[in-house]
Amino acid sequence: MAANTLLVELGVEELPPGAIDELSDALAEGIRRGLTEADIDAGEVLAYATPRRLAVQIRELADKQPDREVERRGPALAAAFKDGQPTRAAEGFARSCGVAVDQLIHLETDKGTWLGYREQQQGEATTTLLPGIVEQAIGALPVPKNMRWGASRVEFSRPVHWLVMLYGNQVVEAGALGLEAGRTTRGHRFHAPEPIELAHAEDYLAALEGAWVLADRDKRRERIREQVLAEAEVQEANAVIDEDLLVEVSGLVEWPVALTGSFDERFLEVPPECLISSMKANQKYFHLLDEEGRLKPLFITISNIDSADPEQVIQGNERVIRPRLADAAFFYDTDRRRSLGDRAPELAGVVFQKQLGSLADKAHRNAAVAAFIAGRIDGDVHDARRAAELAKCDLVTEMVLEFPELQGIMGRYYAANDGEPGEVAQALEEQYLPRFATDAIPQSRTGLALALADRLDTLAGIFGIGQRPSGTKDPFALRRAAIGVINILVKGELDLDLRELLELAAAQHQELPYAEGLVDEVLTYMLDRFRAWARDEGIGTEVYLAVRARPVTEPLDFARRLRAVQGFARREEAAALAAANKRVSNILAKQAHDVDIRVDADRLQEPAEKALYEAIEACRDRVMPLFAEARYSQALDALATLREPVDHFFDQVMVMAEDPAVRRNRLALLAGLQALFLEVADIALLQQ
């Protein structure tokens, strides 16, 4: 079967840069899926995109579907013939197959014999099927917002201007969005506006690059990265390349050209984060740092033209950025005229959640919880309370209203300007850490207390009004809050009990509709998040389940157990001891009453049970102090020595002896063995 390259390109007005990647990938996936459903073999599927085009190139695409044998089943044989003559059912089935009755076959099944027909069906040509596949793929694109243009009734994200569909050197006769497919594409809007006739689908990338268009997204991004780094080297500076900004800028240009501009040094009196946010959000500029990490009065812009007079382009960008930075300087100066404390009353007018009150209410609740936590972790209770009172005040400043991403950061600057204690100012920024699972946690004690209090208040409050996350819906980011609490407690090595903290957080709310059982529900939810934490740490699910089976409510202790059991699971004794514990669990579960773990040494009869008893007692003396100090790895290492006496016991001793007293004693021996391991985890679950 012959194969060739397919090219599909949709030419459009400039697309929203944030939507380009999603649309490009969706188009490629839609066509690939359509080909798969049509049973057409295809090789590599490549997605290309620029602001003015979405394209898909598919290598080694088969020119037709494979031939296949089609089998149809008609009436049951008993209903197909009567007195040796075909019935109407048989004749009707034969007509539907286009043959005579005597050309039908008998199909034997487990439900009887049926009349049937089998034929070879020729595969359809790929070029015949492509129009429907492509049209369906385009129609299913996740367009953020449709529009119409001119008198057309066609709708798409932006006006469409051309459609290319080539299979090898052949134009596929097709249409979509009111366009007829052809072989004509367009180059750069300014450098190469003339139509380009593509001779072959394989010519696409080279033809466009010759017309000042880099259609390969990855290549265009790397070109931008290389140019930015080269410009920075000329300026003896370090360029900061934000990956999200790189993607966005790549979605704004077809032929990137990096240029360096400057701004007045007086703007460096403004916090650098403000200037950077303004440059990134408003102008899509990359900023530069000196060797000490300080912001330089320079920026790198990515132009979409290779200008004969680049200085004019640079000056134009400098003129545009000047008022933007002036706005940032104005916001900063204006905000500093009032202290954060003076802004606290304004929080009463900002709703946190309708049923949970305002940000002022949240600040009041956070203050009580943060002060308690600070007292438990050797922090400053007064600083923690003060930080909680000021934590949300920067949300009503001009700077944060303009640049929401600066919340916390501006709180730190303004608190320092107001003369607040250094740790209070630091905590205002740290309250949002960690932002994601692998992010850093707060470094100050006050920051730790505030970050925990804020998340615990949100978790208790939102659960308390019945807004538990479900499926993909998590508008208050409770999953992230729960994992944040876990990370803070574990990475910060804070030996705090989640149940106690949640009870305190819930008690700060005056009225919660779902207060009954609230703490248990939130606690279960948070501990369940440890599964994701364990996975990120490379810890197996069976290890998580073994630890989760125990009533552990201190995340730091939970993490220590996870790591210890993970290490134990790698030992050669682990499998045998896990199997033995599983066997013990099954035996004990069948008993009508709880089994006493006290063993009567005088009733031990067999050498193997005496040996196991002595081993358990010796082990207990060694491991109980280790359990008390949470040294679980060493304790499990000691328990691993029980493998041999446990194996011998099960090989040589009948647990369910006829003598009830002997039976109870042996069950007590096993219960004692199980209890030792359960001090850490239910290792019987490691068998899963």
Side-chain angles (χ1 to χ4, degrees), residues 214-425:
L214 288 177
D216 187 318
R217 294 176 300 177
D218 294 335
K219 186 174 181 179
R220 195 164 66 252
R221 284 171 197 163
E222 289 312 305
R223 177 79 61 88
I224 293 172
R225 190 193 304 276
E226 292 167 4
Q227 291 183 357
V228 168
L229 294 175
E231 287 287 309
E233 187 174 356
V234 171
Q235 300 297 330
E236 297 182 346
N238 297 313
V240 179
I241 300 179
D242 180 283
E243 293 300 321
D244 290 337
L245 179 61
L246 178 62
V247 170
E248 187 174 8
V249 169
S250 176
L252 292 168
V253 298
E254 292 196 314
W255 190 260
V257 177
L259 300 170
T260 303
S262 63
F263 57 85
D264 294 342
E265 289 195 21
R266 65 184 177 88
F267 288 123
L268 294 179
E269 297 174 6
V270 179
E273 293 91 344
C274 304
L275 305 180
I276 293 167
S277 284
S278 182
M279 287 190 284
K280 287 170 61 176
N282 294 320
Q283 302 307 128
K284 317 304 176 191
Y285 294 161
F286 296 94
H287 61 281
L288 300 174
L289 305 176
D290 64 17
E291 291 183 356
E292 282 74 41
R294 295 171 301 199
L295 183 66
K296 293 184 69 110
L298 300 169
F299 64 84
I300 297 176
T301 182
I302 305 300
S303 174
N304 191 34
I305 60 171
D306 193 356
S307 175
D309 189 0
E311 193 58 36
Q312 289 291 327
V313 180
I314 293 171
Q315 290 176 9
N317 279 275
E318 290 174 344
R319 283 195 298 272
V320 172
I321 193 60
R322 194 175 298 119
R324 297 289 192 179
L325 299 185
D327 285 345
F330 174 77
F331 295 147
Y332 183 56
D333 290 339
T334 302
D335 287 340
R336 286 186 297 166
R337 292 172 189 162
R338 295 177 59 200
S339 70
L340 283 178
D342 288 344
R343 297 178 186 273
E346 296 177 36
L347 298 180
V350 183
V351 175
F352 165 59
Q353 202 282 337
K354 184 172 65 174
Q355 293 175 264
L356 300 176
S358 66
L359 285 181
D361 297 322
K362 182 171 179 58
H364 179 74
R365 297 192 299 264
N366 285 352
V369 178
F372 173 82
I373 293 173
R376 295 290 296 272
I377 63 174
D378 297 326
D380 188 300
V381 173
H382 181 269
D383 280 357
R385 187 177 296 278
R386 181 60 175 167
E389 292 168 351
L390 300 177
K392 308 303 178 185
C393 291
D394 68 343
L395 298 180
V396 293
T397 63
E398 296 293 333
M399 186 71 80
V400 175
L401 288 172
E402 179 70 16
F403 301 110
E405 68 272 16
L406 294 179
Q407 61 183 350
I409 295 172
M410 296 317 300
R412 171 170 60 85
Y413 279 107
Y414 294 148
N417 181 73
D418 296 342
E420 297 287 349
E423 193 155 309
V424 170

Side-chain angles (χ1 to χ4, degrees), residues 595-671:
V595 176
D596 191 345
I597 64 170
R598 289 174 297 181
V599 176
D600 183 351
D602 293 335
R603 289 190 179 277
L604 297 173
Q605 299 176 347
E606 303 292 337
E609 64 181 325
K610 292 178 181 178
L612 179 58
Y613 172 73
E614 292 170 0
I616 289 175
E617 291 304 304
C619 214
R620 182 179 287 111
D621 292 339
R622 290 174 58 194
V623 300
M624 293 311 290
L626 296 174
F627 291 145
E629 297 172 5
R631 295 163 62 187
Y632 301 117
S633 293
Q634 295 94 319
L636 286 172
D637 286 342
L639 290 174
T641 63
L642 293 175
R643 176 188 174 178
E644 187 173 336
V646 167
D647 287 346
H648 288 164
F649 175 86
F650 280 117
D651 287 342
Q652 301 172 23
V653 177
M654 173 71 73
V655 177
M656 306 306 289
E658 291 186 10
D659 185 332
V662 173
R663 182 168 64 247
R664 283 195 300 271
N665 207 45
R666 289 173 180 173
L667 289 172
L669 181 61
L670 294 182

Side-chain angles (χ1 to χ4, degrees), residues 75 79-81 85-102 104 115:
F81 294 94
Q85 298 300 313
T87 63
R88 288 186 177 183
E91 291 172 343
F93 177 64
R95 279 196 304 273
S96 70
C97 296
V99 297
V101 173
D102 60 6
L104 298 175
L115 210 57

Side-chain angles (χ1 to χ4, degrees), residues 539-595:
I539 295 172
T541 298
E542 70 285 352
V543 172
Y544 162 79
L545 293 173
V547 176
R548 186 72 179 88
R550 307 301 301 137
V552 182
T553 59
E554 297 174 7
L556 179 58
D557 190 51
F558 200 111
R560 287 169 174 161
R561 291 167 186 261
L562 283 172
R563 289 169 178 146
V565 176
Q566 177 79 352
F568 172 77
R570 298 191 187 103
R571 296 183 63 114
E572 63 174 297
E573 300 94 341
L577 285 169
N581 271 268
K582 182 68 173 176
R583 186 172 178 181
V584 170
S585 295
N586 291 337
I587 292 172
L588 297 179
K590 294 176 182 177
Q591 307 312 306
H593 306 286
D594 289 340
V595 176

Side-chain angles (χ1 to χ4, degrees), residues 40 145 173 288 295 360 522 626:
I40 300 174
K145 188 175 182 181
E173 295 183 7
L288 300 174
L295 183 66
V522 182
L626 296 174

